[in-house]
Amino acid sequence: MSRKSIYIITVLIGGVIVYIRSLSGDFLVGTTTFDHPYIQFAAALVVGGGLAVLLIPVLKAVSLSKRDLLLLFGLGLLFRSLFMGSMPIYEDDWNRYLWDGAVTAQGINPYQYSPLEIVEGAESDNKDIQRLHEFSLVHRSATDQYSQDKYYGDPITERINHPDLRTIYPPVAQGFFTVATLISPLNLDVLRGLYLAVDLLTFFLLIKTLQAYGRDQKWALLYVLNPLLIYSGYNVVHMDLLLMPPLLLTLLWVKQDAPMKAAIALSVASAVKLWPLLLAPIFFRAWRTKIATYAMIAVSVAGLSLIFNAPLLLSIGENSGLSAYTGEWERNSFLFPIIFSFFDPFTIAPGQMSRLLVAIVVSLISLYYGFVAKPDALTVPAALMVTIGLLLFLSPTGYPWYLYWVLIFLPFVPSYGFTLLSGLIGLYYVRYAMGERDLSKWYENVVVPLQFTLPLLVIGYEVLRRRQNVK
């Protein structure tokens, strides 16, 4: 297999990205799913995932020079930049990002008020609410051009989903949103530009970390060229991209025997999203027999995470986004409904019991890899992938952009199963049309299993094969 193969696949992935970019103009505000090319869009993501799967055998077979890598990395950045000025397809979390940044830039605590309070704030005696209400009337998002009605002439606070809830995003993420606002208020392309800077840092750290683990730099292309990552990061601008640098730094400093640096990096990751704390036993397994060092790591991670996340944690209560998400959210879940149906006949709170069981199972797996599993050259990244993957399969929420969490470790332990999932999960985007056509049950009972079942079987086979090889 020649080097041309990798370029052919890269060009085809670029074609998928260009096609998705061309479709984005058909998802205008004011239109309905009946007007949207949702089947073509979902199919493009599935095809893109198939091309990403083909990268694995090709990368195994070819050698790439530094010049090849630079050119392919450059194409990866070009594919990302193609979404500048594009209309986000269906997703609208970015409205909350931009608004949170604007609130913080005004010197106001972003966890203090819900968007609905600002919408209704014209007659409020609260000066902060008045100020934010006036700001929302003056400033408009850069995506206002993509509208077929007057909706986008309304304040951004009226576009935010779940407006009755206060924000869920931790402080480090809030800092990033604030920087975007300081550059240009409510400008989605500024956010995209900052994401490009984050991805450049991610690429650099990925190369360094691969070298530290004795892996060829070419495997970074599994991250750089993944179509789902490119689409979800730059068209709908999901903030999970911000997790990648601190996760890689944690992995790198673990390998370099720098436990305190790794503890700080993991704590920073927790202030982007809280869930990485579940991975602490795996990251720090090398020090598990050194009681004093391990205790210092545990205290540092716990203390720093509490400090970094204090504003978010103190906001828990009525109308808290974090409380609502952890206690109520359920979307595109695979195995969670089965767990729910098991508890449903025996308790008045099957959702809470199901969530508790998922948390216990994932924590036990993390502890197993942290204290019991036999070490080998790639124990840490492999265990991270399996644990995060288990979380994704059991979670009440299985959003496509959550695949970021596991795909960042794909270059260390290439997995056909997870790469396949990054394509099939594109079927998630038919749910909007199916919901409007009263086909939600068909979506839940047919489309969701289509997304997850085959990848799970492949991942299970890969895990068993890996265990046999280790023995």
Side-chain angles (χ1 to χ4, degrees):
M1 194 175 291
S2 68
R3 288 166 51 248
K4 289 182 180 179
S5 303
I6 195 74
Y7 283 100
I8 291 171
I9 294 174
T10 300
V11 169
L12 291 173
I13 288 174
V16 169
I17 298 302
V18 170
Y19 182 63
I20 292 173
R21 175 63 172 86
S22 71
L23 292 178
S24 67
D26 295 325
F27 290 81
L28 301 176
V29 175
T31 61
T32 69
T33 59
F34 294 90
D35 306 310
H36 298 159
Y38 62 91
I39 293 177
Q40 297 95 310
F41 168 56
L45 286 175
V46 172
V47 170
L51 292 170
V53 169
L54 291 178
L55 282 174
I56 297 176
V58 171
L59 287 172
K60 286 180 179 178
V62 303
S63 297
L64 298 176
S65 66
K66 288 186 178 180
R67 182 178 179 181
D68 290 324
L69 285 174
L70 284 173
L71 178 56
L72 292 166
F73 277 28
L75 289 172
L77 287 172
L78 174 63
F79 298 161
R80 287 158 168 77
S81 67
L82 290 176
F83 284 115
M84 287 291 184
S86 65
M87 176 65 198
I89 298 175
Y90 287 134
E91 305 297 340
D92 58 2
D93 286 352
W94 52 271
N95 281 312
R96 175 81 71 164
Y97 306 163
L98 295 175
W99 176 248
D100 283 358
V103 172
T104 308
Q106 294 283 314
I108 298 171
N109 180 356
Y111 303 104
Q112 190 167 359
Y113 306 111
S114 70
L116 186 60
E117 290 177 88
I118 307 305
V119 170
E120 299 172 346
E123 306 301 324
S124 173
D125 294 330
N126 186 307
K127 292 184 178 180
D128 286 344
I129 291 179
Q130 286 181 354
R131 182 149 53 99
L132 291 174
H133 180 77
E134 292 170 3
F135 178 91
S136 72
L137 294 175
V138 172
H139 292 277
R140 297 286 181 258
S141 169
T143 57
D144 284 356
Q145 58 184 302
Y146 300 109
S147 178
Q148 287 193 347
D149 62 11
K150 297 180 180 179
Y151 177 69
Y152 264 31
D154 294 339
I156 190 172
T157 43
E158 296 185 19
R159 314 173 199 169
I160 295 171
N161 58 35
H162 305 288
D164 56 312
L165 299 177
R166 289 175 283 117
T167 188
I168 190 176
Y169 301 107
V172 168
Q174 295 292 345
F176 192 88
F177 305 153
T178 304
V179 170
T181 296
L182 292 174
I183 295 172
S184 179
L186 308 183
N187 190 325
L188 186 57
D189 280 339
V190 168
L191 205 55
R192 288 175 170 138
L194 290 176
Y195 279 17
L196 279 172
V198 170
D199 254 345
L200 279 172
L201 176 59
T202 298
F203 294 175
F204 171 76
L205 291 174
L206 189 51
I207 290 296
K208 288 203 66 171
T209 311
L210 283 168
Q211 290 174 331
Y213 281 81
R215 298 284 294 164
D216 194 308
Q217 299 173 17
K218 66 183 180 181
W219 290 107
L221 294 172
L222 293 181
Y223 176 88
V224 173
L225 297 177
N226 187 280
L228 176 71
L229 296 177
I230 297 170
Y231 153 73
S232 63
Y234 290 88
N235 175 251
V236 288
V237 203
H238 278 293
M239 50 77 67
D240 295 71
L241 267 177
L242 306 181
L243 268 177
M244 303 305 107
L247 287 177
L248 285 173
L249 278 173
T250 306
L251 193 62
L252 176 62
W253 281 331
V254 162
K255 189 65 175 178
Q256 293 178 346
D257 196 20
M260 295 313 298
K261 287 183 179 180
I264 294 171
L266 184 61
S267 301
V268 170
S270 79
V272 178
K273 282 205 165 180
L274 294 172
W275 69 264
L277 291 175
L278 288 170
L279 306 176
I282 302 173
F283 275 122
F284 300 109
R285 59 171 283 129
W287 297 281
R288 64 193 184 282
T289 58
K290 301 176 181 178
I291 305 301
T293 302
Y294 202 88
M296 188 178 300
I297 292 170
V299 170
S300 299
V301 171
L304 289 172
S305 297
L306 282 172
I307 292 170
F308 293 160
N309 287 290
L312 172 62
L313 298 176
L314 290 172
S315 74
I316 292 175
E318 186 179 0
N319 299 329
S320 164
L322 182 60
S323 298
Y325 177 83
T326 56
E328 302 171 13
W329 243 260
E330 186 176 344
R331 185 75 52 81
N332 205 51
S333 50
F334 177 42
L335 297 177
F336 185 81
I338 299 174
I339 302 171
F340 184 97
S341 64
F342 172 79
F343 281 111
D344 194 25
F346 307 110
T347 176
I348 61 172
Q352 287 80 354
M353 292 299 297
S354 301
R355 284 171 169 79
L356 178 60
L357 179 62
V358 170
I360 291 172
V361 169
V362 175
S363 298
L364 288 175
I365 292 297
S366 180
L367 290 169
Y368 167 77
Y369 281 119
F371 291 94
V372 179
K374 295 179 180 179
D376 66 85
L378 289 173
T379 290
V380 171
L384 291 169
M385 285 184 65
V386 171
T387 306
I388 299 168
L390 182 66
L391 176 62
L392 294 176
F393 284 110
L394 294 177
S395 174
T397 50
Y399 294 119
W401 50 96
Y402 287 3
L403 264 292
Y404 271 72
W405 307 352
V406 68
L407 294 181
I408 189 61
F409 301 113
L410 199 65
F412 301 90
V413 188
S415 165
Y416 287 98
F418 282 118
T419 308
L420 178 62
L421 180 58
S422 76
L424 290 178
I425 206 167
L427 295 173
Y428 167 84
Y429 290 103
V430 305
R431 77 176 185 85
Y432 298 95
M434 293 186 75
E436 290 186 10
R437 290 160 175 79
D438 295 322
L439 296 173
S440 295
K441 289 298 181 183
W442 280 89
Y443 177 80
E444 295 167 4
N445 297 327
V446 177
V447 178
V448 172
L450 278 175
Q451 296 174 51
F452 291 97
T453 302
L454 181 57
L456 179 59
L457 292 173
V458 175
I459 292 165
Y461 172 76
E462 290 175 322
V463 170
L464 289 174
R465 189 174 178 181
R466 176 178 169 78
R467 290 186 66 181
Q468 290 172 354
N469 291 337
V470 170
K471 290 179 182 178

